[in-house]
Amino acid sequence: MNPLIKADGLAKDYRMGEVTVHALVDASFEINEGEFVVILGPSGSGKSTLLNILGGMDTPSAGKCYMEGTEITGFDDRRATLYRRYSVGFVFQFYNLMANLTAKENVELATEISEDPLDIGMIMDSVGLGEREDHFPSQLSGGEQQRVSIARAIAKNPKVLLCDEPTGALDFKTGITILELLKKVNKELNMTVIVITHNSDIASMGDRIIRMRSGEVIENRLNDNPIDPQEIRW
């Protein structure tokens, strides 16, 4: 089976005055279609840098990254924009919703730039917001706002969903419901989901666990027995 994503020797260096920071060092791995992947590591381990490269928001100093066999690290600005628009859905720690638009209208924004969007009504129901779709972000709880951001990301029907600390701003109970939702998206839509986190307990729900430290991938393994999000404790 050909991988959906292949990273080959990715490196990223930043110059800070007289010092060169090696944010990413020779990262190589493969991710298959339909996997739920957890990229685990402490702050400064390089996981956000890696996610930005996978999402076409940054370019590496060395190495290559492929999506379905096409090298994305060689894209010019126009092709990178199209890649982000059509192939990738983003979920961040903070929700980045348009305050003057309702939940449904926030999701509709994403479908307007998609070639093959999913049905908005189905998406709002699937994230449990069918009865809250006409509410504005200020009228929604933090967990509900994160559900809107997930709905917005998946509505454009991307190949991969990239989630940067999606439970970081939420309490434990709400965080578990968001992890359950991401797992549901992964299974029911067969959408590849990549979650980056510093929380080692979350890693146990992944089909694949990629562990990072000091910019390096120090472990990349399949998890034969991923647990249900309800079993997670932290």
Side-chain angles (χ1 to χ4, degrees):
M1 180 172 59
N2 293 325
L4 177 70
I5 295 171
K6 180 179 179 180
D8 184 10
L10 291 177
K12 183 67 178 183
D13 298 334
Y14 295 100
R15 189 74 177 173
M16 300 182 66
E18 299 297 317
V19 178
T20 298
V21 177
H22 304 293
L24 200 60
V25 182
D26 195 26
S28 298
F29 55 86
E30 295 181 354
I31 292 172
N32 296 319
E33 184 176 2
E35 285 186 330
F36 192 106
V37 181
V38 177
I39 299 178
L40 176 67
S43 178
S45 62
K47 56 188 189 297
S48 291
T49 299
L50 177 58
L51 200 77
N52 288 339
I53 292 173
L54 297 181
M57 295 186 291
D58 199 358
T59 55
S61 304
K64 297 179 180 180
C65 184
Y66 302 86
M67 168 69 77
E68 294 185 322
T70 298
E71 185 195 344
I72 65 171
T73 40
F75 286 169
D76 59 20
D77 288 344
R78 178 180 178 278
R79 291 189 71 193
T81 297
L82 294 176
Y83 168 72
R84 292 191 298 268
R85 179 178 299 173
Y86 299 134
S87 297
V88 186
F90 296 96
V91 178
F92 300 103
Q93 179 175 348
F94 301 103
Y95 322 121
N96 299 320
L97 302 178
M98 301 292 290
N100 61 334
L101 299 180
T102 65
K104 183 179 180 180
E105 289 169 342
N106 267 279
V107 177
E108 284 175 334
L109 275 181
T111 64
E112 291 175 0
I113 61 170
S114 173
E115 293 180 310
D116 183 29
L118 300 175
D119 179 76
I120 292 178
M122 181 272 287
I123 292 300
M124 298 305 290
D125 287 338
S126 71
V127 300
L129 290 175
E131 297 181 358
R132 304 279 282 167
E133 62 182 25
D134 293 325
H135 289 68
F136 292 94
S138 62
Q139 299 171 308
L140 301 173
S141 68
E144 287 172 331
Q145 290 184 61
Q146 188 63 297
R147 286 173 178 268
V148 176
S149 73
I150 293 171
R152 178 182 59 191
I154 64 177
K156 61 180 185 177
N157 200 15
K159 292 182 174 69
V160 61
L161 188 65
L162 301 180
C163 308
D164 190 351
E165 298 280 7
T167 64
L170 304 173
D171 62 80
F172 168 76
K173 184 177 179 180
T174 307
I176 293 298
T177 65
I178 293 302
L179 293 175
E180 288 182 309
L181 176 57
L182 291 173
K183 196 71 171 181
K184 177 182 178 183
V185 169
N186 168 243
K187 295 303 180 185
E188 295 186 2
L189 299 179
N190 193 37
M191 190 174 292
T192 305
V193 177
I194 302 176
V195 174
I196 72 167
T197 182
H198 65 275
N199 189 332
S200 59
D201 296 292
I202 291 176
S204 56
M205 68 176 284
D207 301 318
R208 180 183 298 276
I209 301 167
I210 297 174
R211 191 182 301 270
M212 300 190 68
R213 183 177 62 207
S214 301
E216 298 183 66
V217 173
I218 61 171
E219 182 182 36
N220 175 17
R221 66 177 176 90
L222 292 176
N223 181 12
D224 293 331
N225 297 293
I227 69 171
D228 186 274
Q230 281 290 344
E231 299 177 54
I232 296 174
R233 295 291 181 268
W234 69 76

